[in-house]
Structures are given as C-alpha cells and as structure tokens.
Amino acid sequence: MKWLRYGGLGLVLAGAGCGNERGIPENQPVQMRAQLRSFESCDELEAYVEDTAVLDMRSQLLWQKEMVGNWGRGGPVYSVEDGSLPPTSASPSPMPGSSSGDASAPGTGSKGPDDYTETNNQVEGVDEADFVKNDGTRIFVISGNKLYLHRSWPATSLSAVGSLVLEGWPREMFLQDNRVVIFSQVYVRTDGSAVGGESPIKGGVGAPCYVMGFCGETATKVTVVDVADLAAPRVQDEYYLPGSYANARRTDSSVRLLLNDSFRWPDGVRFWPDYDPTLWDDEDRLKKKLDELIVQNEQTIRQKTLKDWLPSGWRKRPDGSWVEVSYDCRDFYRSNTPAKLGFVTVASLDLDASATEQAMVRRTSLVTDPGQVYATPDSLYLASQHWWWWPEDGQQDYTYLHKFDIRQPGVARYVGSGTVEGHLLNQFSMDEHEGVLRVATTISTYKESQGNPWGRVETTNRLFTYREQDGELVKVGQSEELAKGESIYSARFLGNKGYVVTFRQVDPLYTFDLSDPEHPRKVGELKVPGYSSYIHPLDENHLITLGVYVPENSNDWRLRAVKLSLFDVTDPAHPREAFSQLVGNAYGWSEALWEHKAFNFFPAKGLLAIPFADYDVSASDYWSGFRSELRVFHVDAATGFTPVGSLSMSDLYRARNDNTWTWYWTPMVRRSVMADDYVYAITDAGVRVAHVSNLQAPLATTNFTPDFSLPFYP
C-alpha cells in the first residue's frame, strides 16, 4: 500500500507586523480572491511558522496587557484556553462503542441476501467512515477498544466469530473487500528516530487521556486488517500520523483521511506570569512582567527547528520494523487569508498499491481551521471560516472554500479557492452538480448593543453557486435572502433542485430551482412547527425529514417530540407536509437527529429504521423507565408512515447500568442494518436481529463486554 500525505498549516500570516499603536494586530479584511501558494524551501516554511507563532503569542499577551486594570483584584480566572491549565482535546462525537439454518427458508440459507442497507452516505460512490460496516453477510462493529467480526447471514445464525483488540481509541473504519481500515486516536511519545528499524515510539501507545499532566502527542493510528478469516483477523499494516482524526472518505480503493492538529507550542512558552497574589494589585509591575514574557517566549520559539513544529509520521511494517513517514517542504502551501494557528492534513491511502511499497509523503498547506468536508468521486472540498481577532460592529462571517482533484488514487491536486458569505452548517451545505458547487450558508453579523457587553448577532441565509475558472472558485450566482433572524438547520441538494430548512420558532422549508446556476431561484416555502435536522429523498417528488416538533408560540418543553415528516414537492412552488409521525415523548431522542449515518432507509422494502431512546416517567423504578430500541416504519408516498414495530435492546441497556457508561461507551441503540426481511439493531453492548414481521421476538443476540482497564472507564 502507498501513502501520500497532504498536510496544512492554518496560520495567521496576513497582518504580520501590522497593528495599532499598542502593537495589537488589527482585524484583517476578508480575502475575496482566496488562493494557496507553495513554499520554495524548508527555510522559508520554518520562518513562516515562527513568524506566525510570534505574532499569535504577541497578540495574546499584548491584549492581556491592554486589559490590565479590568481583571479585578486577584487577576483573571484561569482556564484551559489561557494556558494555565493543561489543554484537552476537542470533544469528538461520541463513539461506541451459532447453527446452520434451513436453506429453503428466507434468511436461513447460506446464500447472501438479495438486498441490504449500507452506510447512509451523502454522495453515491463515496463511502463515509463509520463505526459499523457490513456487506450483507458480515457485520463489523467497533465497540470500546475492540473490533467485533460477525457472520450475519443466515440471519438466524448471527454470531460474533472473532474480535481484535485495537490500540488507543478506535473511532471509525472502512470495509473494502476483505480489508478493514480502522482510524484510532492515540497519544505517543517519540524521540524522532528509529535506529536500526526499532520503534521510535517510547513508552508505548496510549489512548487519549483527560487527566492533569502530559499524555504525549496527539496522533492518529491507521490499522489495515485482513478479515478474510473472521475468526482470525490479521493486521497487515499500521501507520501513526500526527494530528487528531476528523473525517474520512473512500472511493473504490482510494481512502482520504482528514486530520486536525493543534499548534504545538514549545515547552517554556507561557501566557501568564508566575502566580503572585500581589502582582495583580500593581499594574505597572504586571505590565512589565507581560513584556518580559513576550521577549522570553519569542526566544523560545526562535530556538525551535522545523522538526519540532512539523513532526513526522511513522509506519510499522508487518515484520515489526519502522519507517519514517516524512514530508517535502515544497509540497506545503500558504494562503493569503488569515486563520487561527493549527494544522490540517489530508492523507491518502491506495489500498490496491503493493503492501511492500514504502510510504510516501507530500504536504499541501491549507489556510484553514478544521472545517466542513464534502467529497464527490472526483473532487474534495474543505471549508473553513475567516478568522477575526475580536468582534467589531458590523463584522460579518465568511468562509473560504478549497477544492482538490482526487481522481487519481493517492494524489490530491490543489485546484483553486473561493470565498462565500456566511458559515456552513455541515457537509450537506455543499453539493457539486455538473461542475457547479452549490453552497447554503447562514450569514451572521455582529452588532454592538448598548447595555450588553457581548453585543448581539443578526442572521440571514442565502444559497450560492460557484464554478471553477482559471484556478479560482468564482461565484456565478446567489439567491435572495432567506428567513432573516433564523439559521439553517438542514439542507439537501438533489440534481437541479435544492431544499433548505431554517428555524427560530417554526420550520420553513424552502424549495429551489437550480437549473440555471447563474440565477438560483427560490420557488416555494412552507412553514410547519418545529424543525427538521436531516432531509432524505424518498423519490424524485417526496422528501423524508427527521427533526423535532416544537409547538408554535409555546415554551412548554413537555410538548416537544421527535418528528418524522413526509413532504410532497411535486409542485416546488407549493410544497406540502403530506404526512407526519411523532415518535415518543418529550424525553425521547435519536442519534439520527444529529448523525445522518444513524438514519437508515431501505428503498427495496420501503422501510425506515432510526435508533430511539426514551424514558417513561410513570415507571415503577428508575431503571425500568429507560427504553433503548430501534424504531421501524414503512414509508409510502401515498400512505405516509406506518409503524412496523420496535426491536428493543432495553435489556442490555439496563444490564449495563450507568456505573459503566461514559460518553465513549453507552449501550443504547445507535445503528442498524436491514437485509431482505431481517432487521439488525446495533449498540455498544451487542447486536440483535429479528424478522421484520415480528420485531418483538429476537432471533439471535451477540454481547460485547467493555474493557474496564481503559482510561475511559471509571
């Protein structure tokens, strides 16, 4: 297999050396013609990193100096962000965690199912990583620190055939033929060398830790596993790359992995003077101490080398030897747009390349904080917001868009950049169709407000279209403003049609005609109570949405509930809510409300499955009131939603009481798979299958046991 690595620095260069009479950098204007430019040497790259780090450090300390006298006696409150407490990683989304049948009966034979569901991907042909993958006859689940390998067909003989313990914190994976590619977050200590092929990682590899003290450097481990034999999975390859796992896409054998890496401030750089209770009562003395810190910090920064700023990755070969995954400075780019200090990496793995080939590294610099990612089989887009140093009256948010050509496996070629007003909600805010990029944004404008030191924010919304022209993403059209005072809660683009949902108290669904990219046109609008957080096509003229019912003109939260809607958009000028279905009560929720991969629609059978959790306040005792189940509905454009039943996992949910729960491992239903007439519910605690005609009678269940030795568990 061959690795190519494209990394990036999101660094503030624009404005270096610019500021007011007090030395504090001014806010930099939005660059309406964003672009990336490569470095010509490692010396130039190192100088850029150091200059930008000094600028960022000076701005923080000079701002604190400016605020002296406003803190009050005793000084400011110490926090993680000011450097006075050890930093923690940004909270990622929560992660989880036989006999032969009668061959003549459906679901019991050795032949695979006629049809089955896979990951709910945004774009056809582009697979999205998840902690559950299946191919109709096998189901793979990451739970805790293990990969569980199931033989799932025949359905009546569901069984966990094998498992594999994984290093660190496994997040998501891909399944491609007989290979599983797993992405785990780990902490490592390295000495930067691998003498004689020995491990450069000292003291072993740890899972992320959230305790006081140094845990090591954040890294992402990529593990390639041969799963041809479910009972004996075999590790084929292992990579350790600097940065936190963020996202991944796969097209055929080409895997694209996105990593985020916070800027690595050197040991010794400090953002507060040593604690002295008398210091904060002497303004002149405090200002002098801050000036001294600026000088000391700059000396520390200038003493570092490029290797300190940009550590290499490492590959562990099947024979146990180690190879450095380095980079070429000429493959780094910088932007003409301001952004926060940070690193972004796009790593590409070609699964069809020879496993004996040495890993190759290239890095492309992106002027961006980690942002939204959207991919087609041919293109990958990264979106990141413009960085303002501080709020000013009339300040509006903007987002920079960067496009890469990914048609060649193992290569991501920079194409061009563009600028769009506002910010994106998620990946569904972008879509490419016939060479045109469509983007839906919420535009926020900061306004000073008398009597309110935090000011206020005014919002509006628009839809924009872009086309690549001579190395730029050029805006070719925009819609009228939508729903002032509201924000986008969901969006979906389907061919020449677009759909946007905004929300404040009611849920306006807007329909768009996008057949003319230069004139994207709103053609219809429908207001219903509540909001939709996910939009899914049923067919060309109907949409299924999932959201929350919120009664209009009422603040009584007890009236809220999870809501399914079926919209008829046959006439885009007059969309209508043809059917709706409330699910549970005010205590209910579904992971599908914020994670589209939990939403599972099976077109072959007209079935919809969503994970659902609820609490019955009338229960006789605390634990018996909890419900964790998979809700299944039949969906038809003519009849709407027909409840089929619930596949309950409440017994596992209750058996693993909250003494064993964490944000990383909870036994509630989170995903599902459907194959022919069988439904599988998947939790961190196990997998269960039932026939769709009798969901209350499970046919088989597998159980997972969490590893309480991990630092995630109490």
Coordinates of all heavy atoms in Angstrom, one line a residue, residues 368-408:
T368 N -6.5 27.3 6.8 CA -7.9 27.0 7.3 C -7.8 26.3 8.6 O -6.9 25.6 9.0 CB -8.5 25.9 6.3 OG1 -9.8 25.5 6.8 CG2 -7.7 24.7 6.1
D369 N -8.8 26.7 9.5 CA -9.0 25.9 10.6 C -9.8 24.6 10.1 O -10.3 24.6 9.0 CB -10.0 26.6 11.6 CG -9.3 27.8 12.2 OD1 -8.1 27.7 12.4 OD2 -10.0 28.8 12.4
P370 N -9.8 23.6 11.0 CA -10.6 22.4 10.6 C -12.0 22.9 10.3 O -12.6 23.6 11.1 CB -10.5 21.5 11.8 CG -9.2 21.9 12.4 CD -9.1 23.4 12.2
G371 N -12.6 22.5 9.2 CA -13.9 22.8 8.9 C -14.7 21.7 8.2 O -14.4 20.5 8.4
Q372 N -15.7 22.0 7.5 CA -16.6 21.0 6.9 C -15.9 20.4 5.7 O -15.1 21.0 5.0 CB -17.9 21.7 6.4 CG -18.7 22.3 7.5 CD -19.0 21.3 8.6 OE1 -19.2 20.1 8.4 NE2 -19.2 21.8 9.9
V373 N -16.2 19.1 5.4 CA -15.6 18.4 4.3 C -16.7 17.8 3.4 O -17.7 17.3 3.9 CB -14.8 17.2 4.8 CG1 -14.2 16.4 3.7 CG2 -13.7 17.7 5.7
Y374 N -16.6 18.0 2.1 CA -17.5 17.4 1.2 C -16.7 16.8 0.0 O -15.7 17.3 -0.4 CB -18.4 18.5 0.6 CG -19.2 18.0 -0.6 CD1 -20.3 17.2 -0.5 CD2 -18.9 18.5 -1.9 CE1 -21.0 16.8 -1.6 CE2 -19.6 18.1 -3.0 CZ -20.7 17.2 -2.8 OH -21.4 16.8 -3.9
A375 N -17.1 15.6 -0.4 CA -16.4 14.9 -1.5 C -17.3 14.2 -2.5 O -18.4 13.7 -2.1 CB -15.5 13.8 -0.8
T376 N -16.9 14.3 -3.7 CA -17.5 13.5 -4.8 C -16.5 12.5 -5.2 O -15.4 12.5 -4.8 CB -17.9 14.4 -6.0 OG1 -16.7 14.8 -6.6 CG2 -18.6 15.7 -5.5
P377 N -16.8 11.6 -6.2 CA -15.8 10.7 -6.7 C -14.6 11.4 -7.3 O -13.5 10.8 -7.3 CB -16.5 9.8 -7.7 CG -17.9 9.8 -7.2 CD -18.1 11.2 -6.7
D378 N -14.7 12.7 -7.7 CA -13.7 13.4 -8.4 C -13.1 14.5 -7.6 O -11.9 14.9 -7.9 CB -14.2 13.9 -9.8 CG -14.6 12.9 -10.7 OD1 -14.1 11.7 -10.6 OD2 -15.5 13.1 -11.6
S379 N -13.8 15.1 -6.7 CA -13.4 16.3 -6.0 C -13.5 16.2 -4.5 O -14.4 15.5 -4.0 CB -14.1 17.5 -6.6 OG -14.0 17.6 -8.0
L380 N -12.7 16.9 -3.8 CA -12.8 17.1 -2.4 C -12.7 18.6 -2.0 O -11.9 19.3 -2.5 CB -11.7 16.3 -1.6 CG -11.8 16.3 -0.1 CD1 -11.3 14.9 0.4 CD2 -10.9 17.4 0.5
Y381 N -13.7 19.0 -1.2 CA -13.8 20.4 -0.8 C -13.6 20.5 0.7 O -14.1 19.7 1.5 CB -15.1 21.0 -1.1 CG -15.4 21.2 -2.6 CD1 -16.0 20.1 -3.3 CD2 -15.1 22.4 -3.3 CE1 -16.2 20.3 -4.7 CE2 -15.4 22.5 -4.6 CZ -15.9 21.5 -5.3 OH -16.2 21.6 -6.7
L382 N -12.8 21.5 1.1 CA -12.6 21.9 2.5 C -13.1 23.3 2.7 O -12.8 24.2 1.9 CB -11.1 21.8 2.9 CG -10.4 20.5 2.8 CD1 -9.0 20.6 3.2 CD2 -11.1 19.4 3.6
A383 N -13.9 23.5 3.8 CA -14.4 24.8 4.1 C -14.0 25.3 5.4 O -14.1 24.5 6.4 CB -16.0 24.8 4.0
S384 N -13.5 26.5 5.6 CA -13.1 27.0 6.9 C -13.4 28.5 7.0 O -13.4 29.2 6.0 CB -11.6 26.8 7.1 OG -10.8 27.5 6.2
Q385 N -13.7 28.9 8.2 CA -14.2 30.3 8.4 C -13.0 31.3 8.4 O -11.9 31.0 8.9 CB -15.0 30.4 9.6 CG -16.4 29.8 9.5 CD -17.3 30.1 10.7 OE1 -17.7 29.2 11.4 NE2 -17.6 31.3 10.9
H386 N -13.3 32.5 8.0 CA -12.4 33.6 8.2 C -12.2 33.9 9.7 O -13.1 33.8 10.5 CB -12.9 34.9 7.5 CG -12.1 36.1 7.7 ND1 -11.0 36.4 6.9 CD2 -12.1 37.1 8.6 CE1 -10.5 37.5 7.3 NE2 -11.1 38.0 8.3
W387 N -10.9 34.2 10.0 CA -10.6 34.3 11.4 C -10.5 35.8 11.8 O -9.7 36.6 11.2 CB -9.2 33.7 11.7 CG -8.7 34.0 13.1 CD1 -7.6 34.7 13.4 CD2 -9.2 33.6 14.3 NE1 -7.4 34.8 14.7 CE2 -8.4 34.1 15.4 CE3 -10.3 32.8 14.7 CZ2 -8.6 33.9 16.7 CZ3 -10.6 32.6 16.1 CH2 -9.7 33.1 17.0
W388 N -11.4 36.2 12.7 CA -11.4 37.6 13.3 C -10.7 37.5 14.6 O -10.9 36.7 15.4 CB -12.8 38.1 13.4 CG -13.6 38.3 12.2 CD1 -14.6 37.5 11.8 CD2 -13.4 39.2 11.2 NE1 -15.1 37.9 10.6 CE2 -14.4 39.0 10.2 CE3 -12.5 40.3 11.0 CZ2 -14.5 39.7 9.0 CZ3 -12.6 41.1 9.8 CH2 -13.6 40.8 8.9
W389 N -9.8 38.5 14.9 CA -9.1 38.6 16.2 C -10.1 38.9 17.3 O -10.0 38.3 18.4 CB -8.0 39.6 16.2 CG -6.8 39.2 15.4 CD1 -6.5 39.7 14.1 CD2 -5.8 38.4 15.7 NE1 -5.3 39.1 13.7 CE2 -4.8 38.3 14.7 CE3 -5.5 37.6 16.9 CZ2 -3.7 37.5 14.7 CZ3 -4.3 36.8 16.9 CH2 -3.5 36.8 15.9
W390 N -11.0 39.8 17.0 CA -12.0 40.1 18.0 C -13.2 40.7 17.3 O -13.1 41.2 16.2 CB -11.5 41.1 19.1 CG -10.9 42.3 18.5 CD1 -11.6 43.4 18.1 CD2 -9.5 42.6 18.2 NE1 -10.7 44.3 17.5 CE2 -9.4 43.8 17.6 CE3 -8.3 41.8 18.4 CZ2 -8.2 44.4 17.2 CZ3 -7.1 42.4 18.0 CH2 -7.1 43.6 17.4
P391 N -14.4 40.8 18.0 CA -15.6 41.3 17.3 C -15.6 42.8 17.2 O -15.1 43.5 18.1 CB -16.7 40.9 18.3 CG -16.1 40.7 19.6 CD -14.7 40.2 19.3
E392 N -16.1 43.3 16.1 CA -16.3 44.7 15.8 C -17.7 45.0 15.3 O -18.2 44.1 14.6 CB -15.2 45.2 14.9 CG -13.8 45.2 15.4 CD -12.8 45.7 14.4 OE1 -13.0 45.5 13.2 OE2 -11.8 46.3 14.8
D393 N -18.2 46.1 15.5 CA -19.6 46.4 15.0 C -19.6 46.3 13.5 O -18.8 46.8 12.7 CB -20.0 47.9 15.4 CG -21.4 48.2 15.1 OD1 -22.3 47.3 15.5 OD2 -21.7 49.2 14.5
G394 N -20.6 45.5 13.0 CA -20.8 45.3 11.6 C -20.0 44.2 11.0 O -20.1 43.9 9.8
Q395 N -19.3 43.5 11.8 CA -18.5 42.4 11.3 C -19.3 41.2 10.9 O -20.2 40.8 11.6 CB -17.6 42.0 12.5 CG -16.5 41.0 12.2 CD -15.6 40.7 13.4 OE1 -16.0 39.8 14.2 NE2 -14.6 41.5 13.6
Q396 N -19.0 40.7 9.7 CA -19.8 39.6 9.1 C -18.9 38.4 8.9 O -17.7 38.5 8.6 CB -20.3 40.0 7.8 CG -21.2 39.0 7.0 CD -21.7 39.5 5.7 OE1 -22.4 40.6 5.7 NE2 -21.5 38.8 4.6
D397 N -19.4 37.2 9.1 CA -18.6 36.0 8.9 C -18.6 35.6 7.4 O -19.5 35.8 6.6 CB -19.1 34.8 9.8 CG -20.6 34.4 9.5 OD1 -21.3 35.2 8.8 OD2 -21.0 33.4 10.0
Y398 N -17.4 35.0 7.0 CA -17.1 34.5 5.7 C -16.5 33.1 5.8 O -15.9 32.8 6.9 CB -16.2 35.4 4.9 CG -16.9 36.7 4.4 CD1 -17.1 37.8 5.2 CD2 -17.3 36.8 3.1 CE1 -17.7 38.9 4.7 CE2 -17.9 37.9 2.6 CZ -18.1 39.0 3.4 OH -18.8 40.1 2.9
T399 N -16.5 32.3 4.8 CA -15.9 31.0 4.7 C -15.1 30.9 3.5 O -15.5 31.3 2.4 CB -17.0 29.9 4.8 OG1 -17.7 30.0 6.0 CG2 -16.4 28.5 4.7
Y400 N -13.9 30.3 3.6 CA -13.1 30.0 2.4 C -13.2 28.6 2.0 O -13.3 27.7 2.8 CB -11.6 30.3 2.8 CG -11.4 31.7 3.2 CD1 -11.0 32.1 4.5 CD2 -11.5 32.8 2.3 CE1 -10.8 33.4 4.9 CE2 -11.3 34.1 2.7 CZ -11.0 34.4 4.0 OH -10.8 35.7 4.3
L401 N -13.4 28.4 0.7 CA -13.6 27.1 0.1 C -12.3 26.7 -0.7 O -11.8 27.5 -1.5 CB -14.8 27.1 -0.8 CG -16.1 27.7 -0.2 CD1 -17.1 27.9 -1.4 CD2 -16.6 26.8 0.8
H402 N -11.8 25.5 -0.5 CA -10.6 25.0 -1.2 C -11.0 23.7 -1.9 O -11.5 22.7 -1.2 CB -9.5 24.8 -0.2 CG -9.1 26.0 0.6 ND1 -8.5 27.1 0.0 CD2 -9.4 26.3 1.9 CE1 -8.3 28.0 1.0 NE2 -8.9 27.6 2.1
K403 N -10.7 23.6 -3.2 CA -11.1 22.4 -4.0 C -9.8 21.6 -4.3 O -8.8 22.2 -4.7 CB -11.8 22.8 -5.2 CG -12.2 21.7 -6.1 CD -12.9 22.1 -7.4 CE -13.3 21.0 -8.3 NZ -14.0 21.4 -9.5
F404 N -9.9 20.3 -4.3 CA -8.9 19.4 -4.7 C -9.4 18.3 -5.7 O -10.5 17.8 -5.5 CB -8.3 18.7 -3.5 CG -7.6 19.6 -2.5 CD1 -8.3 20.3 -1.5 CD2 -6.2 19.8 -2.6 CE1 -7.7 21.2 -0.7 CE2 -5.6 20.7 -1.7 CZ -6.3 21.4 -0.8
D405 N -8.6 18.0 -6.6 CA -8.9 17.0 -7.6 C -8.4 15.6 -7.1 O -7.2 15.5 -6.8 CB -8.2 17.3 -8.9 CG -8.5 16.3 -10.0 OD1 -8.9 15.2 -9.7 OD2 -8.3 16.7 -11.2
I406 N -9.3 14.7 -6.9 CA -8.9 13.4 -6.3 C -9.2 12.2 -7.2 O -9.3 11.1 -6.8 CB -9.6 13.2 -4.9 CG1 -11.1 13.2 -5.1 CG2 -9.1 14.2 -3.9 CD1 -11.9 12.8 -3.9
R407 N -9.2 12.5 -8.5 CA -9.5 11.4 -9.5 C -8.4 10.4 -9.5 O -8.6 9.2 -9.8 CB -9.7 12.0 -10.9 CG -11.0 12.8 -11.0 CD -11.1 13.4 -12.4 NE -10.2 14.6 -12.5 CZ -10.1 15.4 -13.5 NH1 -10.9 15.2 -14.6 NH2 -9.2 16.3 -13.5
Q408 N -7.1 10.8 -9.3 CA -6.0 9.8 -9.3 C -5.8 9.3 -7.9 O -5.6 10.0 -6.9 CB -4.7 10.5 -9.7 CG -3.5 9.6 -9.8 CD -2.3 10.3 -10.3 OE1 -2.3 11.4 -10.8 NE2 -1.1 9.6 -10.2

